């Protein structure tokens, strides 16, 4: 037990180092992300003593919650691989859904405009409120949008399932590795 | 002679599960309609009264209005947090403690998280017009540490396993068990109950594991544990395995191999067929209807050990019921399905959607006539069930003809009370075991 305390102190020091390092990294990654997908990157930094991942509120375009991954000091290659896979999947997901939702909104607006024009109606009523179509009129748009994006969704589904399985599989491997290491350390201590 | 203990057991069962189911539904309807749809996909709400449904209907209407008015806009900067903040975390902790006492345990377990969720869900529909921009710290406060607290685990697992849907699936199985022509055996019943419950928990957990990004994008499902990061995917899969293995084992060795096989098959059908199919083809609705039809079959095979015509009739009733129920509800969710990439009849083949709903309303009428022919019930049953069958068929016809929101909602609401009443009438008209004692239909 006493042997654990210095180790914990070291870990805390490294958490601090990495959380500040993480903060420095974030704006750069954020910059890339800003170009890649229209999402607002948070300037969030986890508290220094935290050794866990942090999850944020849903992104306003993609509705997905961003995760800030914790990088431990003694990160094994397997743990690094897992973290990078999760980060990459997160960015990929973020981009897909932000695009999807924005496209939906744009096309919906276009559809409403064109239908209203065809009807000869104004885009805005006298009160200044936007004119909308009812659900039955929108049904054509929903059908169109779904079939237009069908192939895109097929590719996304396939990739999502693959990534989800891979991430979970690696999580399992990492968990086993950690248990193995803990058992290994215990055995060394008992021998000593 | 064998009839009376059975009647008594059935009545006790009726009372207990009925009360619990009513309470569950009340809570269920505080959430959004799509969630309710999922909850009731495999429903047997047999013991809920009409008055209850009027109340539920009122609550449902407000939720449905909200979902119809929902617009997919980018959220304004920052959204007032609907998520667990520090204060409510403590609240959550106390709520979890209240869940500890067992017994209608699974039901009180589901009550608390949903109470919280229903509160959280109220402010979440996207708000028109922007909210005053807060500072960066406010947004930062919404970041949560992904640390699993043991105290929160029961609540999280309850939500992961869709405990309310599980309870309703299990009550459907109980109906199958009670309607089977065999003496009511309590140990066998309890084993079936637990085994089916575990199998359902496993299937629901895997379903949530597969659907994280899709759930994030729909209002109804965005507060699920995996979406919120309260549990890791690895833990979710492990939990599913820990439920599936004992559940199926219990059914196979504790009840009979046929029931175990059906349970395993249903898990496979739901997780590996229905869930991916939702995004590929409209065939998912038919597969989902089969998933809903299997639990009463399992109840029947648990009691009798074999699949008789009566079992298939019961399965057929649940199967047919899914269509007017789901098709009517999906009529109002077309926008979400379209944006999220879900292939549903209401979006791609609206005419088919309404035609199928009507067709299956009429099938229910036919099946109630087949029940006495197959010795499941007496001939009183089709007669007394005729009014409700005609009514749902009428609403199915209106939906087919009018194809609007009003008729779809009426049909959906009707389906909510139609099934429980239908099954209750079946139970009361159950054909008594031919043991020599004369008697009219059971009262």
């Amino acid at each position: 037990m006493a042997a654990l305390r210095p180790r914990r102190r070291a870990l805390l020091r490294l958490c601090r180092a990495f959380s500040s390092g993480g903060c420095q990294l974030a704006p750069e990654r954020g910059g890339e992300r800003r170009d890649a997908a229209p999402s607002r990157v948070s300037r969030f930094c986890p508290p220094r003593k935290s050794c866990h991942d942090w999850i944020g509120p849903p992104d306003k375009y993609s509705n997905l919650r961003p995760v800030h991954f914790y990088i431990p000091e003694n990160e094994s290659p397997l743990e690094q691989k897992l973290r990078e896979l999760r980060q990459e999947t997160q960015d990929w997901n973020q981009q897909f859904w932000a695009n999807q939702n924005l496209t939906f909104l744009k096309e919906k607006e276009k559809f409403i405009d064109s239908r209203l024009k065809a009807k000869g109606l104004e885009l805005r009523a006298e009160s200044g409120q936007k004119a909308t179509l009812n659900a039955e009129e929108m049904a054509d748009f929903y059908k169109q949008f779904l079939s237009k994006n069908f192939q895109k969704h097929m590719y996304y589904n396939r990739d999502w399932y693959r990534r989800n399985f891979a991430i979970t599989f690696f999580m399992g491997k990492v968990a086993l590795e950690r248990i193995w290491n803990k058992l290994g350390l215990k055995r060394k201590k008992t021998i000593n | 002679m064998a009839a009376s203990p059975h009647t008594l057991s059935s009545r006790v069962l009726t009372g207990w599960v009925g009360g619990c189911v009513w309470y569950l539904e009340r809570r269920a309807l505080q959430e959004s309609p799509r969630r309710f749809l999922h909850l009731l996909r495999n429903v047997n709400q047999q013991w809920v009264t009409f008055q209850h449904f009027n109340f539920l209907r009122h609550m449902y209407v407000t939720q449905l209005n909200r979902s119809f008015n929902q617009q997919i806009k980018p959220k304004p900067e920052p959204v007032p947090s609907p998520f667990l903040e520090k204060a409510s975390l403590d609240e959550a902790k106390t709520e979890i403690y209240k869940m500890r006492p067992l017994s209608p345990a699974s039901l009180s377990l589901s009550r608390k998280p949903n109470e919280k969720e229903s509160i959280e869900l109220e402010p979440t529909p996207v708000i028109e017009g922007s909210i005053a921009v807060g500072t960066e710290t406010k947004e930062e406060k919404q970041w949560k540490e992904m640390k699993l607290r043991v105290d929160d685990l029961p609540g999280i697992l309850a939500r992961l396993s869709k405990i309310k849907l599980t309870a309703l699936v299990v009550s459907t199985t109980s109906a199958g068990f009670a309607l089977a022509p065999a003496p009511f055996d309590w140990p066998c019943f309890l084993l079936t109950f637990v085994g089916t419950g575990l199998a359902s928990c496993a299937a629901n957990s895997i379903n949530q594991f597969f659907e994280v990004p899709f759930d994030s994008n729909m209002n109804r499902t965005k507060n699920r544990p995996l979406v919120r990061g309260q549990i890791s995917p690895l833990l979710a899969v492990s939990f599913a395995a820990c439920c599936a293995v004992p559940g199926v084992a219990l059914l196979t060795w504790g009840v009979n191999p046929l029931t175990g096989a059906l349970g395993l098959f249903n898990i496979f059908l739901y997780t590996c067929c229905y869930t991916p199919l939702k995004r590929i083809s409209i065939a998912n609705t038919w597969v989902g209807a089969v998933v809903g039809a299997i639990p009463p079959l399992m109840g029947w095979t648990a009691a009798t050990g074999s699949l008789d015509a009566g079992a298939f009739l019961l399965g057929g009733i649940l199967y047919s019921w899914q269509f007017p129920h789901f098709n009517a509800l999906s009529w109002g969710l077309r926008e979400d399905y379209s944006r999220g990439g879900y292939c549903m009849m209401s979006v791609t083949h609206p005419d088919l959607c309404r035609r199928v709903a009507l067709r299956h309303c009429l099938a229910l009428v036919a099946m109630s006539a087949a029940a006495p022919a197959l010795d499941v019930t007496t001939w009183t049953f089709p007669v007394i069930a005729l009014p409700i069958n005609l009514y749902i068929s009428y609403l199915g016809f209106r939906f087919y003809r009018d194809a609007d929101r009003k008729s779809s909602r009426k049909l959906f609401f009707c389906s909510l009370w139609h099934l429980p009443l239908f099954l209750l009438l079946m139970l009361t008209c159950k054909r008594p075991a031919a043991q020599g004692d004369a008697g009219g239909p059971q009262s």
Side-chain angles (χ1 to χ4, degrees), chain A residues 116-117 119-126 129-132:
Chain A
L116 286 173
K117 282 202 185 104
K119 275 196 197 172
L121 294 170
E122 285 300 314
L123 292 177
R124 280 184 187 275
E126 286 167 356
Q129 268 203 322
K130 256 183 152 180
T132 53

Side-chain angles (χ1 to χ4, degrees), chain B residues 185-197:
Chain B
D185 180 33
W186 273 100
C188 181
F189 171 74
L190 287 170
L191 287 171
T192 312
F193 191 92
V194 175
T196 310

